[in-house]
Amino acid sequence: MNFDEIKNKASELLEQNHETVDAGIDQAAEFVAGRFGHEDQVKLVAEKAKDILPGGA
């Protein structure tokens, strides 16, 4: 498998499972915000991450 095939497969999986990925991003953001604070900034980064992933909002 070459890099393009791997990238395409990863994109397909992200599109098919975007709700699960979004939930994972939200959980990670909650952990980081709870551990280090800066909740508004962490939430903003999490939303940006979800926006750039295939299948995202």
Side-chain angles (χ1 to χ4, degrees):
M1 236 181 192
N2 66 33
F3 179 75
D4 286 332
E5 290 173 330
I6 294 169
K7 184 183 87 166
N8 291 338
K9 184 63 175 174
S11 291
E12 286 177 29
L13 290 171
L14 283 168
E15 287 177 23
Q16 293 170 0
N17 299 294
H18 71 88
E19 291 175 359
T20 304
V21 173
D22 285 354
I25 290 171
D26 288 337
Q27 287 179 338
E30 286 178 28
F31 172 79
V32 170
R35 183 84 171 202
F36 301 105
H38 306 285
E39 185 174 335
D40 292 337
Q41 291 90 345
V42 171
K43 187 182 280 187
L44 180 63
V45 169
E47 292 303 317
K48 296 274 186 195
K50 291 190 286 187
D51 287 345
I52 64 169
L53 292 175

